Amino acid sequence: YSLLIFYDSLLGSPVLPVLSKSGDITIGGAFSVYTQTPKSSPSLTETPEPLICTRISFREFRFAQTMIFAIEEINNSSSLLPNISVGYKIFDSCGSTLPSTRAAMGLINGQEKTFGKSCTGQSTVHAIIGASKSSSTICYAYILFCFLFQISHFSTCACLSNRKEHPSFFRTIPSDYYQSRALAQLVKHFGWTWVGAVRSDNDYGNNGMATFIEAATQEGICVEYSEAISWTSLDEQVERVVRVIKTGTAKVVVAFLGYDEMDILLEEALRQNITGLQWVGSESWITSSNLALRKYSGILTGSIGFAIKKAKIAGLQEFLLQVHPSQDPQNHILKEFWEETFGCSFQPSLKGVKQCSGSERLRDIKNPFTDVSELRISNNVYKAVYAVAHAMHSMLKCGEKSEEIAKHIQDVNFSLQSGEKVYFDERGDPAATYQLVNWQKNSAGDPVFVTVGSYDASLPDGKQFTIKEMNLTWFGESKQVSRPISVCSESCFPGFRQAVIKGKPICCFSCIACAAGEISNSTNSAECSPCPLEYWSNEDHNKCVPKVIEFLSYEETMGALLAGFSLFGASLTLVVSFVFFWFRHTPLVKASNSELSFFLLLSLTLCFLCALTFIGQPTDWSCMLRHVAFGITFALCISCILTKTITVVIAFTAKRPANTVPQCSVLLQRMGVLGGTFLQVLICVVWLTLAPPFPHKNTVYAAERIILECSLGSSIGFWVVLGYIGLLAVLCLILAFLARKLPDNFNEAKFITFSMLIFIAVWVTFIPAYVSSPGKFTVAVEIFAILASSFGLLFCIFAPKCYILLLKPERNTKNHMMGRNQKQQALHYRRKSGACGVVGDGIQLHPEVQNRGSGLQTV
């Protein structure tokens, strides 16, 4: 369709090559030898003015001369295309679509006004080297794919790798598909998650930036803004874009620009005095000597970006320095180049301009044409020419026609004199290798390009990108230890997580501390990770540490106090036992039923000591021991008191002592104690057999710590043990209450009643406290109940007796305990029962009546 639009105009004005030479084989070239920056851009409703390209680009002219140099080398070679001369036709594309279209027609038609209207037509050239811009190259590719193949040295648009649309296109520069992803990895490597972006408003910039933004998003990078400019943009548009860059918060700007657009942008950046930005550049401008000027150094020093690998081409510099208008006096471009270089004119009529003598020397000039220190794109031109030559050589060797050359160009695989290998993949692209370049200053203060790393897409992931950060210079013209920071939000340190701010990109976030039990051990964690069940977060929430295991130990104050009270109670009981043993022949001890009293003191000692089994780290044996010891010792204790109480009641209610003697015998008392204890032992054995207690790590009650406790195994077993003790205590209380009106001087029933009231009150209070107490306090409550009830029994039953034994020995007599009324009552019982015994002054009583009258053996 484009061909039809321009067809008439092309017929009236044939396009001629700017440089040409005839040969058996002709290679076409398309370079932006002339460039123009228009002063203004027309509106959409205005008719576009024709472009007039008048200014020579020294860089592009060097590309054209490099092509000629490579062709001359091939013509002088005896191994490559021997006895065949290679010519060239180099056209100017002016870096724009319309001139590129005209140049494409010139490459097809030559100087004639007709061209083949089908793909069977013959072209005047056999292959094309060019163009320098992706938009121009796409124009060539769509027009020329029927006629001949094309190798570009500088067109990087990833769209050109589409073999369905561009089957005859090849290039010696990697696709932006790789460069854009390499730039994203570079930005990610330095931790820049908040960047600005500016691009050329053409196929090169738009496609490259789209790929970069896609790759950056996958890397977690956010783009604050993405602006586009063109070398034909209005001044107002460029000014607006620079203002956006200046007011943006991103400290890093990714510039996917051609060097022409970058030049325009830098001029406006100088005017608005933009400083303090880190520039990340694409290969188009990052090594452009046109931009390596001192006036831009304040902006671009420290810039970093990927560039094509630098190379050396032997003999090229001497060839370039020999360029002279005398080589082809009729060629106007050589004269214009000479005039532009030396600021002179071959026309003497121009006033104020010196006349060119032709004796000027290029050796005395330093400009982008003569500078061969950064041969990157020129080397791509050199490789492209040799690729065509090798394809032609292979084609002619096989005796095939020129139409088959595309097949041979796909299969080329050779090495240059420098050792560099040249080949194309299935998409017509070369191997994607880049050098990482950093803008620095030399000792003279001039900008220089320093290689600080590399990128090779053919290597495995993780090894593609290498960098030497120690050699880097950042913006500000100094080698800083720390790199620039460009983030929307400050990094969240370990122990915090990112929380997205509503309406903001994901790179803008607030930092929220991880909840208890959760950690984040890396910077900028998106989420906090919960710790395993037996671990908890440390104070900084950046590491899981083992949970504190909590149990009642001897080392802590509460455990030590309870252990102290337990040992004190046991010691006090032993003291009481010693007192009773010392006074064992006195009436008071005899009247207290000494055997049962010693049994009771033994059980109380064990009750005090069993509390110690509840302190310390629970184990399998300690868990079983503590509950069994508690149940059995208290069963023994209450059985002794119950037997004592039963003995008192029976002794003072017996009608016929002769018949009740077996019930009140010592053997029966022992059987009562052992029987009451045996039932508890039986319950404990069943409990331990079916579901014994065991150590349990309780992580439910307290999330931040592990409560090491003894699980009951069977709650029923525990409550049966406790219920049995309660049953014995209730029976003892009832019987003691019934015996409360026995004679005062030897009546123990009141003390037993009071002790049972304390005992039951303690354990009734224990139940709700036990159920509701947390952690180790559950054990402390149980120990407290054991000690409180044990002290209650000890003091209520034995304190009054010890008081008489130690402080009131005058009351420890038979006469005092058997008052006058008691003697008469005892005599009355003797007569009534007819039993034998002694009461008071030498009267013998039956032992049970004696017990009933005096209380010497039963209470």
Side-chain angles (χ1 to χ4, degrees), residues 241-254:
V241 171
V242 174
R243 195 182 310 114
V244 170
I245 296 173
K246 186 175 183 179
T247 57
T249 58
K251 298 300 181 183
V252 174
V253 180
V254 179

Side-chain angles (χ1 to χ4, degrees), residues 236-372:
E236 292 79 4
Q237 181 180 355
V238 178
E239 180 182 351
R240 183 193 63 80
V241 171
V242 174
R243 195 182 310 114
V244 170
I245 296 173
K246 186 175 183 179
T247 57
T249 58
K251 298 300 181 183
V252 174
V253 180
V254 179
F256 217 101
L257 296 167
Y259 57 85
D260 290 332
E261 289 83 4
M262 191 64 185
D263 192 9
I264 297 171
L265 186 71
L266 289 174
E267 287 293 337
E268 182 60 28
L270 277 177
R271 193 183 69 83
Q272 296 192 26
N273 192 27
I274 287 185
T275 57
L277 293 179
Q278 176 65 46
W279 293 85
V280 178
S282 60
E283 96 296 333
S284 180
W285 68 266
I286 196 65
T287 56
S288 175
S289 56
N290 291 353
L291 303 177
L293 305 176
R294 288 196 176 187
K295 67 175 183 178
Y296 295 148
S297 62
I299 300 175
L300 293 182
T301 298
S303 297
I304 190 170
F306 289 103
I308 306 305
K309 188 177 180 181
K310 183 168 65 173
K312 290 184 178 181
I313 303 177
L316 177 61
Q317 186 177 25
E318 291 300 321
F319 180 85
L320 295 177
L321 295 177
Q322 292 175 5
V323 173
H324 195 275
S326 61
Q327 293 176 340
D328 188 359
Q330 304 301 321
N331 192 306
H332 65 280
I333 195 172
L334 292 177
K335 293 181 179 180
E336 292 179 17
F337 162 72
W338 200 264
E339 291 174 345
E340 186 80 19
T341 301
F342 295 102
C344 60
S345 174
F346 285 101
Q347 299 179 6
S349 59
L350 294 177
K351 294 182 179 181
V353 179
K354 66 179 181 178
Q355 189 174 1
C356 296
S357 64
S359 61
E360 296 86 0
R361 299 196 315 168
L362 289 175
R363 294 182 183 275
D364 301 331
I365 298 297
K366 183 178 181 181
N367 61 17
F369 177 79
T370 60
D371 183 11
V372 293

Side-chain angles (χ1 to χ4, degrees), residues 71-262:
I71 290 176
E72 294 299 332
E73 274 193 344
I74 294 170
N75 286 332
N76 295 327
S77 173
S78 59
S79 58
L80 186 61
L81 293 176
N83 302 320
I84 296 177
S85 63
V86 180
Y88 54 86
K89 288 184 178 181
I90 299 175
F91 288 81
D92 172 39
S93 64
C94 195
S96 182
T97 304
L98 180 58
S100 297
T101 305
R102 294 166 60 87
M105 293 305 178
L107 286 166
I108 296 174
N109 298 327
Q111 300 182 24
E112 301 177 2
K113 294 186 179 182
T114 61
F115 62 93
K117 297 182 181 180
S118 70
C119 289
T120 60
Q122 296 295 319
S123 172
T124 61
V125 298
H126 298 86
I128 297 176
I129 308 299
S132 296
K133 292 190 176 182
S134 294
S135 297
S136 300
T137 302
I138 292 172
C139 178
Y140 283 103
Y142 277 120
I143 295 174
L144 303 178
F145 78 95
C146 276
F147 303 96
L148 65 167
F149 72 93
Q150 175 185 5
I151 302 180
S152 176
H153 59 285
F154 209 1
S155 299
T156 58
C157 180
C159 58
L160 289 166
S161 297
N162 188 336
R163 304 309 284 171
K164 291 183 179 180
E165 293 187 7
H166 310 293
S168 59
F169 175 79
F170 299 85
R171 54 184 159 194
T172 54
I173 189 170
S175 167
D176 283 337
Y177 174 86
Y178 302 102
Q179 181 183 200
S180 298
R181 281 162 172 74
L183 287 173
Q185 290 185 31
L186 175 66
V187 172
K188 178 66 175 180
H189 172 79
F190 292 121
W192 300 327
T193 58
W194 187 242
V195 300
V198 60
R199 67 188 186 277
S200 297
D201 193 9
N202 52 30
D203 294 289
Y204 167 74
N206 293 331
N207 284 278
M209 184 57 70
T211 305
F212 168 78
I213 292 177
E214 178 185 355
T217 302
Q218 295 174 356
E219 296 285 352
I221 301 167
C222 298
V223 178
E224 182 183 9
Y225 54 84
S226 180
E227 298 292 334
I229 62 172
S230 171
W231 65 282
T232 59
S233 296
L234 295 171
D235 293 340
E236 292 79 4
Q237 181 180 355
V238 178
E239 180 182 351
R240 183 193 63 80
V241 171
V242 174
R243 195 182 310 114
V244 170
I245 296 173
K246 186 175 183 179
T247 57
T249 58
K251 298 300 181 183
V252 174
V253 180
V254 179
F256 217 101
L257 296 167
Y259 57 85
D260 290 332
E261 289 83 4
M262 191 64 185

Side-chain angles (χ1 to χ4, degrees), residues 743-775:
D744 292 340
N745 282 6
F746 55 91
N747 186 6
E748 267 192 310
K750 291 182 180 180
F751 301 123
I752 294 175
T753 302
F754 188 62
S755 66
M756 286 299 101
L757 286 174
I758 294 177
F759 183 86
I760 293 174
V762 168
W763 287 103
V764 168
T765 307
F766 158 78
I767 294 174
Y770 178 83
V771 173
S772 61
S773 296

Side-chain angles (χ1 to χ4, degrees), residues 309-443:
K309 188 177 180 181
K310 183 168 65 173
K312 290 184 178 181
I313 303 177
L316 177 61
Q317 186 177 25
E318 291 300 321
F319 180 85
L320 295 177
L321 295 177
Q322 292 175 5
V323 173
H324 195 275
S326 61
Q327 293 176 340
D328 188 359
Q330 304 301 321
N331 192 306
H332 65 280
I333 195 172
L334 292 177
K335 293 181 179 180
E336 292 179 17
F337 162 72
W338 200 264
E339 291 174 345
E340 186 80 19
T341 301
F342 295 102
C344 60
S345 174
F346 285 101
Q347 299 179 6
S349 59
L350 294 177
K351 294 182 179 181
V353 179
K354 66 179 181 178
Q355 189 174 1
C356 296
S357 64
S359 61
E360 296 86 0
R361 299 196 315 168
L362 289 175
R363 294 182 183 275
D364 301 331
I365 298 297
K366 183 178 181 181
N367 61 17
F369 177 79
T370 60
D371 183 11
V372 293
S373 61
E374 295 290 332
L375 292 179
R376 302 176 190 272
I377 308 304
S378 296
N379 188 52
N380 288 344
V381 176
Y382 187 76
K383 290 188 292 184
V385 174
Y386 267 89
V388 173
H390 277 275
M392 288 288 186
H393 185 87
S394 176
M395 180 192 70
L396 295 175
K397 189 176 181 180
C398 295
E400 297 178 352
K401 297 181 179 179
S402 60
E403 290 81 1
E404 303 295 329
I405 190 172
K407 178 180 69 175
H408 294 276
I409 196 69
Q410 180 70 64
D411 297 332
V412 298
N413 192 335
F414 62 94
S415 297
L416 298 175
Q417 294 180 0
S418 61
E420 182 180 0
K421 289 187 177 181
V422 179
Y423 61 91
F424 301 100
D425 62 16
E426 64 278 4
R427 294 182 297 272
D429 295 331
T433 58
Y434 299 93
Q435 287 181 338
L436 186 62
V437 174
N438 182 221
W439 281 49
Q440 300 181 12
K441 284 186 176 182
N442 58 18
S443 57

Side-chain angles (χ1 to χ4, degrees), residues 458-500:
S458 63
L459 297 177
D461 292 342
K463 297 183 179 180
Q464 298 175 339
F465 179 60
T466 60
I467 185 171
K468 301 175 183 177
E469 292 194 44
M470 296 299 296
N471 298 332
L472 281 171
T473 292
W474 302 110
F475 69 85
E477 308 180 12
S478 62
K479 291 189 177 182
Q480 302 179 24
V481 176
S482 60
R483 64 178 68 102
I485 298 175
S486 184
V487 294
C488 181
S489 302
E490 291 295 329
S491 298
C492 293
F493 294 105
F496 294 82
R497 68 172 179 86
Q498 298 176 351
V500 177

